[in-house]
Amino acid sequence: MVFGQVVIGPPGSGKTTYCNGMADFLKLIGRKVAVINLDPANDALPYECALNIEDLVKLNDVMAEHSLGPNGGLIYCMDYLEKNVDWLLSKLKPLIDDHYLLFDFPGQVELFFLHSNARNVINKLIKKLNLRLTAVHLVDAHLCCDPGKYVSALLLSLSTMLHLELPHINVLSKIDLIESYGKLAFNLDFYTDVEDLSYLQRHLDQDPRSAKYSKLTKELCDVIEDFGLVNFSTLDIQDKESVGNLVKLIDKSNGYIFSSIEGSVVEFSKIAAAPLDWDYYRTAAVQEKYMKDDEHFQG
């Protein structure tokens, strides 16, 4: 059995930074990690990429050839990948014997709750290569500061969970920055546990922009609570303990922790050990260079 993560989330939620930091962390606790970039718009990668979709299709070429915008181009690329999934399978086969896989997907949310291309690709990988994958859905923690945006994030998370049908963990990323975004209306546990959204409704009703949609918002909140599926873990990529706790959750969800109990104990003892050389700031420096290169490219 081969284990890994499908990393998804809206643009700006920190997927690339997550893949970079998570790969670095997993290597430090003894796992061989392969990061697979399946985002054709991500052409300046900060991490060592074992497999890149740009070797198959490039977003800029698709946009130029078919007169498409970025969104249409990404959908075309995912459709093209689905039709050429044998290419992906052949490239992954040399990695599956001894690697833990991280799949870095595009940030276009429609791909994961509306269109079927990405889901079909994931399902074929699972069936053909016997993969055990967990979807890690990143949501920027700043959305908690705005009740309307938070409800939207809940709906997106729920829709994605139902659409992908994978073991699924929703993560509030950049949690270390949440205080800089503004004061939260409730304690952080309210936003992670998602237990009683009626309190949130009162704050929405106080906003003239959202008050006129009060009935719709209540119905949406009722749907979220009726399913009872959505909750959030938190992540501070700079904190060893935060990353380690998330790794434990992911390993439980996809069964990695049960595949080798003895090996898992050794790994988690490394997570708990203080001397673990978790140097996020080196990772952050690489990420900063990546962002500067990307800004230069876009300019």
Side-chain angles (χ1 to χ4, degrees):
M1 292 184 291
V2 186
F3 298 89
Q5 304 174 29
V6 173
V7 183
I8 57 177
S13 57
K15 295 184 299 301
T16 299
T17 301
Y18 173 88
C19 288
N20 194 17
M22 180 59 72
D24 199 28
F25 184 87
L26 291 173
K27 290 174 185 176
L28 286 173
I29 63 173
R31 299 188 197 180
K32 292 183 68 175
V33 181
V35 186
I36 296 93
N37 176 47
L38 295 182
D39 183 359
N42 201 355
D43 53 6
L45 300 170
Y47 49 72
E48 182 181 350
C49 185
L51 177 57
N52 195 337
I53 192 176
E54 284 210 333
D55 295 335
L56 175 69
V57 60
K58 294 184 177 181
L59 178 62
N60 288 338
D61 293 345
V62 168
M63 292 168 60
E65 183 176 348
H66 299 283
S67 299
L68 294 172
N71 289 341
L74 281 170
I75 293 172
Y76 182 98
C77 289
M78 283 296 104
D79 184 57
Y80 191 81
L81 177 62
E82 182 186 1
K83 289 180 169 59
N84 294 274
V85 72
D86 289 340
W87 171 86
L88 182 57
L89 291 168
S90 66
K91 295 291 185 181
L92 286 173
K93 282 182 179 178
L95 302 173
I96 62 175
D97 289 337
D98 57 355
H99 282 78
Y100 185 96
L101 306 179
L102 294 175
F103 292 91
D104 187 2
F105 272 89
Q108 188 183 16
V109 296
E110 294 93 331
L111 294 172
F112 302 101
F113 76 89
L114 185 60
H115 298 282
S116 61
N117 306 108
R119 182 187 63 188
N120 292 341
V121 168
I122 294 169
N123 287 340
K124 287 178 182 177
L125 294 179
I126 290 172
K127 292 178 181 178
K128 297 289 185 179
L129 301 179
N130 194 27
L131 303 187
R132 299 292 185 270
L133 300 177
T134 291
V136 180
H137 184 223
L138 302 180
V139 174
D140 195 322
H142 89 271
L143 297 180
C144 296
C145 300
D146 185 315
K149 291 180 180 178
Y150 176 67
V151 171
S152 297
L154 292 174
L155 284 171
L156 175 61
S157 300
L158 176 60
S159 300
T160 303
M161 294 175 77
L162 297 175
H163 188 71
L164 289 183
E165 299 179 331
L166 287 175
H168 194 106
I169 295 178
N170 297 302
V171 179
L172 290 177
S173 62
K174 309 178 189 177
I175 199 66
D176 52 310
L177 302 176
I178 193 166
E179 291 184 359
S180 66
Y181 297 136
K183 186 178 179 180
L184 295 178
F186 306 100
N187 292 333
L188 183 60
D189 289 348
F190 174 85
Y191 299 95
T192 56
D193 296 344
V194 195
E195 289 185 348
D196 190 348
L197 297 179
S198 63
Y199 293 102
L200 195 69
Q201 183 73 41
R202 299 170 190 172
H203 281 265
L204 285 166
D205 291 344
Q206 293 174 5
D207 186 346
R209 296 172 300 176
S210 58
K212 60 181 178 180
Y213 303 113
S214 177
K215 186 176 180 180
L216 173 61
T217 305
K218 182 181 182 306
E219 295 296 330
L220 293 176
C221 289
D222 288 345
V223 169
I224 294 166
E225 290 186 324
D226 287 346
F227 273 97
L229 295 175
V230 183
N231 55 34
F232 291 97
S233 300
T234 59
L235 175 65
D236 173 4
I237 197 67
Q238 302 181 47
D239 180 31
K240 175 188 71 173
E241 185 176 354
S242 178
V243 180
N245 288 336
L246 184 59
V247 169
K248 291 179 183 179
L249 286 175
I250 295 169
D251 287 351
K252 288 179 182 178
S253 69
N254 61 24
Y256 180 92
I257 195 172
F258 305 111
S259 65
S260 175
I261 299 296
E262 183 178 350
S264 297
V265 170
V266 172
E267 285 187 353
F268 291 143
S269 68
K270 292 180 181 179
I271 294 175
L276 179 62
D277 182 24
W278 172 231
D279 185 4
Y280 169 78
Y281 294 100
R282 172 172 52 80
T283 303
V286 174
Q287 178 67 8
E288 182 179 359
K289 180 180 182 301
Y290 156 72
M291 294 297 292
K292 288 180 179 178
D293 291 343
D294 188 49
E295 288 174 1
H296 174 73
F297 172 78
Q298 292 181 358

